[in-house]
């Protein structure tokens, strides 16, 4: 086994990165401050003070980062990875090499310019920062060395199957057409409008912006003015979604490396390399947001034990194996990832009883009538304009609610394969989860009063991976229990009792 017993330090160019970042922040904050002070101190003195304070802040930040580098060292031992760090209080941490499950390599734009990367070494456990070691920064060559050294295994149960080794998926630029129909587009459009108003408020020009907008639509009917603003926001959001997609997924590749490690590489400005050991992979989740699903596409996420903690865990799509792509491509990649001939996300599902449809219709229509009733009440008390708004909502919202409820019912289903249990639900965000049956650690069976009357039950498989719970919602009471009992034989039987001749079982006490 390759080992390295010598202590190593972070790359000394970290101080350059700190100087550039701090300098950018200082310039961004110093210019408006200097402009505000120029009226009192004069332009020359205000600029001099701003430059002096900025240089002092940069110097302090660089000195602190230099001391941090001197006080940080790491080494890869025979059995453990050790990291010593701390300024006033020294912190010593170590991870057993046999427990390491992920080594993620990230390079922000400034780091890429200098050939540096940030390396996060994780055990795949939800134990806060103690389960992750971060080396920020090291050279790209050192990051690749650490990734290969720490994730390569001498033997793997799945490693004998070489049918799905190498590249599993690569970027197809035609996938970018799904970016504008995602939920990100309208969110970015709304954020753009909010950003314009906020910036105009900072510079004291918000009144002028509002006045200009009012003058622009002075001779236009209100409904067309609102329509134009909404369309402009959607167009801006669509453009932003295209830019964001390009930044996140440029140079995308999904490969299976020696030692049974899945590696996702992606990113235009910020380069990311996320490695997941197959030993902690428990299945896949085929995610179809409504807009993407209407165009026949889906995203593929990994169901794994314990994603990385900290900043990387909060980034969007950290566990995504495949961005939104044609459904056939997503199914094929799911089969390759799970080393199967047939993708479990494509198997026929058992439909749920019609009583589940009634529950969704009642809840959807009730939720749609609430805003109608509120607007009608306010219209009667405040202004008749709200009465007309309530009338429009009454014509649109219940119909939309019924359509979504029927779609939600059609999407319900569950199934079993030789290796996986499959559940599907959702309409605005449809999810088809294929969970390894060996990864199920328990079952939760819930039945409300109304479900009991309708003969329905929620059956939830609990696992240490992914979201932690995957539910067959509103399944038939008998079919749901049989599904759970057959998925993991012996786990649910102690809680079942015979229900009589010819039946397979019923919930104890039920």
């Amino acid at each position: 086994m390759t080992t390295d017993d010598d202590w190593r330090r972070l790359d000394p160019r970290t101080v350059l990165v700190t100087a550039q970042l701090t300098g950018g922040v200082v310039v961004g904050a110093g210019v408006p401050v200097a402009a505000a002070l120029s009226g009192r101190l004069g332009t020359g003195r205000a600029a001099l003070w701003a430059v002096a304070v900025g240089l002092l802040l940069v110097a302090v930040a660089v000195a602190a980062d230099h001391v941090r580098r001197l006080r940080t060292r790491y080494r890869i031992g025979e059995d453990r990875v050790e990291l010593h760090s701390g300024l006033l209080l020294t912190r010593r941490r170590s991870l057993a090499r046999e427990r390491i499950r992920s080594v993620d390599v990230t390079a922000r734009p400034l780091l890429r310019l200098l050939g540096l990367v940030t390396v996060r070494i994780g055990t795949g456990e939800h134990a806060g920062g103690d389960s992750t070691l971060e080396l920020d920064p090291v050279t790209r060559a050192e990051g690749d060395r650490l990734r290969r050294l720490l994730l390569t295994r001498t033997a793997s149960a799945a490693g004998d199957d070489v049918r799905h080794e190498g590249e599993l998926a690569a970027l197809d630029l035609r996938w970018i057409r799904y970016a504008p129909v995602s939920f990100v587009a309208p969110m970015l459009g709304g954020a753009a409008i909010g950003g314009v108003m906020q910036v105009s408020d900072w510079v004291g020009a918000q009144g002028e912006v509002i006045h200009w907008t009012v003058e622009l639509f002075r001779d236009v009917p209100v409904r067309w003015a609102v329509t134009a603003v909404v369309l402009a926001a959607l167009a801006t959001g669509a453009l932003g979604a295209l830019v964001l997609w390009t930044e996140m997924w440029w140079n995308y590749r999904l490969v299976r490396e020696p030692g049974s490690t899945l590696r996702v590489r992606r990113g235009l400005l910020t380069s990311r390399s996320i490695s997941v050991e197959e030993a902690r992979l428990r299945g896949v989740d085929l995610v179809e947001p409504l807009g993407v699903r209407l165009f026949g596409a889906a995203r593929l996420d990994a169901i794994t034990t314990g994603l990385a903690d900290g900043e990387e865990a909060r980034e969007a799509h950290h566990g995504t194996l495949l961005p939104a792509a044609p459904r056939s491509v997503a199914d094929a990649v799911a089969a390759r990832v799970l080393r199967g001939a047939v993708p479990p996300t494509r198997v026929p599902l058992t439909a749920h009883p019609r009583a589940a449809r009634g529950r969704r219709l009642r809840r959807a229509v009730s939720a749609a009538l609430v805003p109608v009733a509120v607007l009608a009440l306010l219209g009667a008390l405040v202004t008749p304009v709200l009465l007309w708004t309530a009338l429009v909502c009454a014509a649109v919202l219940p119909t939309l609610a019924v359509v979504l409820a029927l779609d939600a019912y059609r999407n319900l289903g569950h199934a079993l394969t030789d290796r996986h249990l499959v559940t599907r639900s959702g309409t605005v965000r449809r999810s088809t989860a294929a969970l390894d049956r060996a990864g199920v650690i328990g079952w939760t069976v819930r039945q409300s009063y109304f479900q009991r009357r309708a003969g329905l039950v929620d059956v939830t498989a609990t696992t240490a991976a992914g979201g932690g719970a995957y539910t067959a919602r509103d399944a038939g009471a008998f079919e749901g229990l049989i599904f759970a009992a057959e998925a993991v034989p012996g786990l649910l039987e102690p809680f079942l009792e015979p229900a009589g001749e010819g039946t397979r079982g019923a919930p104890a006490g039920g």
Side-chain angles (χ1 to χ4, degrees):
M1 179 184 295
T2 303
T3 61
D4 185 358
D5 294 327
D6 296 330
W7 287 98
R8 296 190 175 215
R9 297 191 184 277
L10 304 178
D11 194 278
R13 288 172 291 177
T14 180
V15 295
L16 296 179
V17 177
T18 300
Q20 293 174 357
L21 287 175
T22 308
V25 173
V26 165
V27 171
V31 171
V33 171
L37 294 177
S38 61
R40 297 182 180 180
L41 303 178
T43 303
R45 292 185 64 187
L48 183 62
W49 274 103
V51 170
V53 172
L55 291 177
L56 177 62
L57 292 176
V58 171
V60 170
V62 168
D65 194 53
H66 179 65
V67 174
R68 178 187 72 89
R69 175 187 169 271
L70 294 179
R71 297 285 294 171
T72 302
R73 55 181 182 155
Y74 67 94
R75 70 176 175 184
I76 312 300
E78 181 76 20
D79 301 314
R80 308 190 71 82
V81 178
E82 299 176 77
L83 174 65
H84 292 184
S85 61
L87 299 180
L88 300 178
L89 181 64
T90 301
R91 187 179 185 187
R92 294 179 171 86
R93 292 187 294 160
S94 67
L95 299 178
R97 291 185 59 171
E98 63 181 12
R99 295 172 55 200
I100 292 174
R101 295 293 181 264
S102 66
V103 178
D104 299 342
V105 181
T106 305
R108 301 184 299 275
L110 289 179
L111 293 180
R112 291 187 68 179
L113 290 175
L114 297 174
L116 304 175
V117 297
T118 299
V119 178
R120 292 182 179 88
I121 304 169
T123 62
E125 298 175 355
H126 295 292
D130 291 336
S131 64
T132 303
L133 300 183
E134 180 175 285
L135 308 178
D136 181 24
V138 296
T139 63
R140 179 173 294 277
E142 175 68 359
D144 289 337
R145 183 188 77 90
L146 292 173
R147 183 182 56 80
R148 291 192 301 268
L149 179 62
L150 296 176
L151 289 182
T152 300
R153 300 292 187 263
T154 57
S156 173
D160 297 333
D161 182 1
V162 297
R163 291 175 297 171
H164 299 305
E165 298 289 346
E167 183 175 281
L168 305 185
L171 177 68
D172 186 335
L173 289 178
R174 291 174 295 180
W175 299 348
I176 197 174
R177 66 183 185 269
Y178 302 121
V181 296
S182 67
F183 290 121
V184 173
M187 293 173 59
L188 290 177
I193 294 178
V196 170
M197 299 304 295
Q198 184 65 61
V199 171
S200 64
D201 181 52
W202 287 343
V203 299
Q206 190 176 81
E208 287 80 356
V209 171
I210 296 175
H211 177 73
W212 177 83
T213 305
V214 171
E215 288 295 322
L216 182 65
F217 295 103
R218 177 178 294 278
D219 299 325
V220 179
V222 174
R223 62 180 181 275
W224 294 116
V226 172
T227 301
V229 171
V230 171
L231 290 178
L234 290 177
T236 303
L239 179 61
L242 290 173
V243 173
L244 182 62
W245 188 96
T246 303
E247 153 60 17
M248 292 189 65
W249 296 108
W250 194 258
N251 293 325
Y252 160 80
R253 286 186 68 209
L254 171 64
V255 298
R256 176 177 279 115
E257 298 182 326
S260 298
T261 299
L262 295 173
R263 184 186 183 191
V264 177
R265 288 187 292 178
R266 57 183 174 89
L268 180 61
L269 298 178
T270 299
S271 175
R272 299 174 179 88
S273 175
I274 302 170
S275 300
V276 177
E277 189 184 40
E278 283 190 86
R280 67 184 182 109
L281 184 68
R282 297 294 180 266
V284 295
D285 190 5
L286 197 74
V287 181
E288 301 168 275
L290 183 58
V292 172
R293 176 158 60 97
L294 292 176
F295 284 82
R299 184 183 85 230
L300 189 68
D301 291 350
I303 300 177
T304 66
T305 56
L307 291 175
D309 297 312
E311 178 185 354
E312 189 70 13
R314 294 189 294 270
E315 290 187 3
H317 307 297
H318 176 79
T320 298
L321 299 176
L322 180 76
R327 173 67 189 266
S328 58
V329 174
D331 286 327
V333 172
R336 295 174 197 144
V337 167
L338 299 176
R339 299 181 183 268
V342 178
T345 53
R346 204 64 179 176
V347 299
L349 302 180
T350 300
H352 290 191
R354 289 191 176 184
R357 180 180 63 182
R359 279 173 54 81
R360 274 149 185 76
L361 286 170
R362 287 189 293 272
R363 287 185 294 185
V365 172
S366 299
L369 291 178
V370 169
V372 174
V374 172
L375 288 172
L377 178 61
L378 292 176
L381 297 176
V382 180
T383 173
V385 174
L386 294 179
L387 289 176
W388 289 104
T389 306
L391 182 62
V392 173
C393 291
V396 175
L397 293 184
T399 302
L400 180 61
V402 168
V403 171
L404 292 178
L406 293 177
D407 181 65
Y409 169 70
R410 285 192 298 268
N411 293 335
L412 289 177
H414 63 272
L416 291 177
T417 69
D418 292 340
R419 291 175 47 203
H420 300 90
L421 63 88
V422 183
T423 63
R424 189 176 69 190
S425 63
T427 179
V428 176
R429 179 188 182 276
R430 187 169 77 176
S431 170
T432 305
L435 178 63
D436 194 330
R437 293 163 67 169
V440 177
I441 59 177
W443 289 97
T444 301
V445 179
R446 289 194 177 96
Q447 189 177 49
S448 68
Y449 169 76
F450 296 104
Q451 283 179 312
R452 190 178 303 115
R453 292 189 60 182
L456 304 174
V457 67
D458 288 346
V459 182
T460 301
T462 57
T463 178
Y470 295 88
T471 304
R473 302 184 184 280
D474 284 335
F478 181 77
E479 290 79 5
L481 293 174
I482 295 303
F483 166 69
E486 292 183 348
V488 187
L491 187 59
L492 193 63
E493 275 78 354
F495 303 96
L496 302 177
E497 64 180 10
E501 187 74 22
T503 62
R504 299 185 61 176

